[in-house]
Amino acid sequence: MRNIVVIGGGVIGLSTAVNIQETIPNVQVTVIAEHFEEETTSHVAAGIFRPYIHPGVSQERIRTWIGDSFAHCSKIINSAEAVEAGMMRLSGYFFGRQPYVGEGKDIIYDFRHATEIEKSSFPIRFPYTDFFTSALVECRFYLPFLMKKLKKAGGLIERRRVESLEEFVGKYHMVMNCSGNGAFTLVGDQTMYPVRGQIYRVKAPWLKHAVLASFDNPIDAYIIPCKDDVVLGGCRQQNRADLTVDKFDSKSIWDRCIAMEPSLKYAEIISENVGLRPGRKGGVRLETEVMTFPIGSIKVVHNYGHEGSGVLLSWGCAKEATQLAATELVTVMQAKL
C-alpha cells in the first residue's frame, strides 16, 4: 500500500484527494488540514463557472483545466447527485466597459452577445453585455459531498495544523501540497499573497438569473442566485488579510448590486462573509519537487495559487496533479526495490 498525504481541506485539496483515491490502485490517501468545510475560503465562494484568464499559465493548460472541471460538473448536474453536490445550471449576464475576455467561452453551455431587448430589461447600461449559461457549484454542499466520496473510497481525514512537510518524511511516499495561502509559510513561497473578498447572503427567491458586472475593476459586482439564497459581492483586495466585515465594503457591494437589481432593496440579509483567496504571482503552481530535509527527502506535488478560480479549476488541476503523482509513485517504488 502506497501512502499519500494531501495538505489542505478546501476544494483543491479534497478534489485532489478524491481523484487519487479513486483512480490510483493500492493507495491510501490521508487529508490533513486545520480547517474544513465552513472554515475554508472555498465555503465562502459563489462558485460559478465563467470564462477566465489566469496570468502566468498557458492558454492550453487553462483550457484543459477548465474543460476537465466543467465536464466533471456537467456529469454531476445531469445526475441524481446534483442536489447533494450543490450543483445546477445557471444563466445570467455579464456587464462590462470593455469586451469580456476569458478562456472557456466555448466550453460552458452558452456564451453570446445579449440582444437589445435583453439589455433594455436592466436599469443600468454598459457598453458591452453578454449572456451565458454555465454551472454553479455551491461549496457549502460540494465540500461535504467530496468528503463523503473520499471516505467511501477509503480515504482518511485528520484535523490538525501542519508546521512542516518534514514531518511526513519516512511516513508517506508522497505529499500533495494543496495548502493555498498556507504555502507562504509551509514551503516558503514568497510569491503568495492574500486576496480578500466579501459577500452578502440574502433571501431574494424572485431572482433567477445571475448578473456580473465590471464597474471599476474586473467583475467587481455580482448577484448569483443559489439553491437557498442569493450571493451578492464582491471585492478583490490584494494583500489584505483581515477577516472582519468591512462596513465600507458592505455599502459598496450593496449599492452596486442595488443598481443592477433594484428589487434587492427588499431582500432579507442572512449573513455577511469574508474569505481570503490564495493569490500567487505567476499563477497556479502545479508541479513536482523533491524537498530535502535534515532527516531525508520526499516527493511533493504542489497544487496551489488558484486565487478566485479554485472551483473553476479544481477538478482539472486535481486530474493533472493525480497524473503527476502516479508517475512519481512509480519512481518512488522502484527506488525502494
Side-chain angles (χ1 to χ4, degrees):
M1 183 70 71
R2 286 86 59 84
N3 295 311
I4 296 179
V5 61
V6 176
I7 309 304
V11 69
I12 299 297
L14 291 178
S15 297
T16 301
V18 171
N19 260 278
I20 293 173
Q21 191 67 70
E22 290 187 340
T23 61
I24 300 180
N26 301 316
V27 161
Q28 174 68 71
V29 175
T30 302
V31 177
I32 300 178
E34 185 176 11
H35 303 294
F36 287 98
E37 297 185 3
E38 69 276 4
E39 302 164 333
T40 67
T41 297
S42 301
H43 184 85
V44 179
I48 192 168
F49 269 79
R50 60 183 178 85
Y52 196 81
I53 288 181
H54 209 302
V57 181
S58 71
Q59 179 183 12
E60 180 182 3
R61 211 173 182 199
I62 284 289
R63 282 189 62 82
T64 299
W65 292 344
I66 294 175
D68 287 343
S69 295
F70 193 75
H72 165 73
C73 292
S74 292
K75 183 178 179 181
I76 294 176
I77 286 172
N78 291 318
S79 77
E81 294 182 317
V83 174
E84 182 184 1
M87 296 190 190
M88 65 180 184
R89 296 177 191 83
L90 182 66
S91 297
Y93 296 89
F94 289 116
F95 294 110
R97 304 194 187 283
Q98 303 293 331
Y100 190 96
V101 178
E103 194 57 56
K105 293 179 182 179
D106 59 332
I107 294 175
I108 62 176
Y109 299 124
D110 188 24
F111 191 99
R112 60 170 173 79
H113 296 311
T115 66
E116 288 302 318
I117 292 177
E118 287 173 313
K119 294 176 185 178
S120 66
S121 69
F122 290 91
I124 57 172
R125 297 297 294 264
F126 282 75
Y128 299 90
T129 304
D130 298 299
F131 173 85
F132 70 92
T133 300
S134 190
L136 176 72
V137 182
E138 290 193 72
C139 278
R140 56 183 174 161
F141 300 109
Y142 186 48
L143 294 183
F145 175 78
L146 288 174
M147 293 266 279
K148 181 179 176 180
K149 285 180 71 70
L150 177 64
K151 292 175 182 178
K152 183 177 180 180
L156 304 175
I157 301 291
E158 184 177 338
R159 180 190 289 269
R160 67 177 176 86
R161 182 179 178 85
V162 175
E163 300 293 345
S164 171
L165 298 186
E166 184 176 10
E167 63 189 79
F168 304 113
V169 175
K171 299 177 183 177
Y172 290 88
H173 294 94
M174 185 172 297
V175 175
M176 310 300 291
N177 175 26
C178 307
S179 56
N181 282 309
F184 184 88
T185 54
L186 191 61
V187 294
D189 191 338
Q190 302 297 302
T191 66
M192 291 294 298
Y193 58 92
V195 182
R196 183 182 175 278
Q198 182 172 314
I199 64 165
Y200 282 96
R201 286 192 178 273
V202 304
K203 287 185 178 180
W206 57 89
L207 295 181
K208 305 300 182 184
H209 285 80
V211 184
L212 300 90
S214 299
F215 282 81
D216 302 306
N217 299 295
I219 310 298
D220 58 5
Y222 50 85
I223 301 167
I224 302 178
C226 298
K227 177 171 173 273
D228 302 319
D229 53 27
V230 177
V231 172
L232 311 181
C235 58
R236 190 175 295 272
Q237 299 162 340
Q238 295 187 3
N239 295 305
R240 182 177 173 183
D242 63 284
L243 290 170
T244 56
V245 172
D246 186 311
K247 293 305 178 183
F248 175 83
D249 292 330
S250 297
K251 184 178 187 307
S252 178
I253 292 167
W254 189 260
D255 289 348
R256 291 197 301 266
C257 290
I258 289 288
M260 297 190 293
E261 287 283 3
S263 67
L264 282 168
K265 177 182 178 181
Y266 302 102
E268 177 187 341
I269 296 173
I270 300 171
S271 66
E272 291 185 75
N273 307 94
V274 178
L276 303 178
R277 308 174 183 98
R280 184 174 184 270
K281 298 174 184 176
V284 175
R285 185 184 185 189
L286 181 43
E287 62 184 4
T288 305
E289 178 186 14
V290 177
M291 296 192 69
T292 301
F293 302 96
I295 64 171
S297 60
I298 192 168
K299 289 280 185 71
V300 180
V301 176
H302 299 288
N303 184 12
Y304 64 84
H306 299 77
E307 196 174 313
S309 58
V311 175
L312 174 70
L313 303 179
S314 58
W315 200 257
C317 286
K319 283 189 67 174
E320 183 174 325
T322 298
Q323 292 164 0
L324 291 174
T327 300
E328 293 300 328
L329 274 177
V330 173
T331 304
V332 170
M333 300 311 292
Q334 287 177 343
K336 291 181 178 292
L337 296 177

